Amino acid sequence: MTDNATWERFTPAQKLARFAVYLGAVSLFVVSLKTVEIIPEFLYDAPEQLQDLFARMWPVDYAAYHSEGIHQALVETLNIATLGTVLSLFMAVPVGLMAAKNITKIPVLNWFGTFILVSSRTVNSLVWAILFVAIFGPGALAGTIAIGFRSIGFCGKLLAEALEEVNEGPIEALKAAGAPWPSILIKGYWPQVAPAFWGIALFRWDINVRESSVIGLVGAGGIGVALDTALNLFRWQQVSLILLCIFTVVIIAEVLVTKIRQKII
């Protein structure tokens, strides 16, 4: 007995849905173009302006590395990233424990912990920096706290997910033996999530090195302050030096974190 049913790649409903998606995407693209308000004269002139900018940025003013305090600003950037990461871990651990459903079995607390994690990730690091500069004044303190608050959501969410994926066997064994809750947490959960925790910390530090280079543009300390000053004073050769320093530090941090993560994980 043969099957005479005709084969169709998509049903009429699926074809209509796909057409609606494509139409919506094209419509959004057209609306976005109108919103951006591209000025054709500036667009045509962009290659020449870019060439002129690179010409002004060359040669790189290497002498400004020490004389203009760029070295000190670069070290301050690394300090902001490191201290901000440590601060975020101290704050993210209790929030992550609260958000993990197998640790905290109270739905209200789970929801509150998730709310904190989402709130931290929703606000951009520059917005956090502007807020804390207004509170603490310009400088590295505002940048460190901004990096710390921005990182809570990232570290806490990944920690909560790691806690929820642990093997429950050792946990049940410790409970059956009558171990107190701190011992269960330290002996049962921590050995299983320790590699993930250190991996999260290193990965976030790598991200924070990049973000710490930017928040100085709003006065939160670090190399961004030196970059903003050089841009405002039209010192393009110093701008190229600062950009080169940022690029070098980011690459070194990326390689270093990758090597350490390979050893840990």
Side-chain angles (χ1 to χ4, degrees):
M1 182 177 178
T2 60
D3 188 3
N4 296 324
T6 58
W7 180 82
E8 291 185 359
R9 185 179 180 185
F10 297 109
T11 64
Q14 290 174 328
K15 291 180 179 179
L16 181 61
R18 287 166 61 88
F19 176 76
V21 171
Y22 293 147
L23 180 62
V26 172
S27 301
L28 289 174
F29 180 74
V30 172
V31 172
S32 299
L33 285 178
K34 292 182 177 181
T35 305
V36 171
E37 297 181 355
I38 299 175
I39 303 176
E41 292 76 12
F42 288 172
L43 187 62
Y44 299 149
D45 190 46
E48 295 181 5
Q49 295 296 333
L50 184 63
Q51 182 180 1
D52 178 65
L53 179 62
F54 281 137
R56 283 180 285 173
M57 293 174 65
W58 186 263
V60 180
D61 185 11
Y62 294 104
Y65 184 75
H66 288 285
S67 62
E68 299 294 335
I70 296 176
H71 173 74
Q72 182 179 356
L74 193 61
V75 173
E76 187 176 70
T77 297
L78 295 175
N79 291 337
I80 291 173
T82 303
L83 293 176
T85 304
V86 173
L87 176 64
S88 70
L89 292 175
F90 276 107
M91 294 186 291
V93 168
V95 178
L97 292 173
M98 188 186 307
K101 295 181 176 61
N102 60 333
I103 301 292
T104 303
K105 299 182 180 180
I106 303 175
V108 175
L109 293 180
N110 294 147
W111 179 88
F112 183 64
T114 303
F115 174 77
I116 295 176
L117 299 179
V118 172
S119 301
S120 171
R121 299 198 310 274
T122 301
V123 181
N124 188 271
S125 57
L126 279 175
V127 179
W128 281 119
I130 293 172
L131 174 64
F132 288 113
V133 165
I135 297 175
F136 298 105
L141 176 60
T144 301
I145 299 177
I147 290 295
F149 273 77
R150 176 71 171 97
S151 304
I152 294 175
F154 180 91
C155 299
K157 178 178 173 56
L158 294 182
L159 178 61
E161 292 178 351
L163 288 169
E164 292 177 346
E165 294 173 359
V166 299
N167 181 9
E168 293 293 336
I171 311 301
E172 296 297 333
L174 287 169
K175 291 181 179 179
W181 174 244
S183 298
I184 294 174
L185 192 63
I186 296 174
K187 300 296 183 180
Y189 286 101
W190 172 248
Q192 298 187 62
V193 302
F197 175 82
W198 295 118
I200 293 167
L202 288 170
F203 188 32
R204 188 65 217 184
W205 178 79
D206 183 25
I207 297 174
N208 287 341
V209 170
R210 306 173 194 183
E211 294 195 348
S212 299
S213 303
V214 177
I215 60 176
L217 294 174
V218 295
I223 194 72
V225 176
L227 178 60
D228 185 55
T229 301
L231 287 171
N232 292 333
L233 297 177
F234 303 107
R235 296 177 178 176
W236 299 111
Q237 294 177 340
Q238 291 184 18
V239 170
S240 61
L241 173 64
I242 295 171
L243 294 178
L244 180 62
C245 291
I246 294 174
F247 179 78
T248 303
V249 168
V250 168
I251 293 299
I252 293 175
E254 180 75 23
V255 173
L256 182 63
V257 167
T258 301
K259 295 295 184 181
I260 297 177
R261 281 172 59 87
Q262 289 175 350
K263 296 294 183 180
I264 295 177
I265 302 176

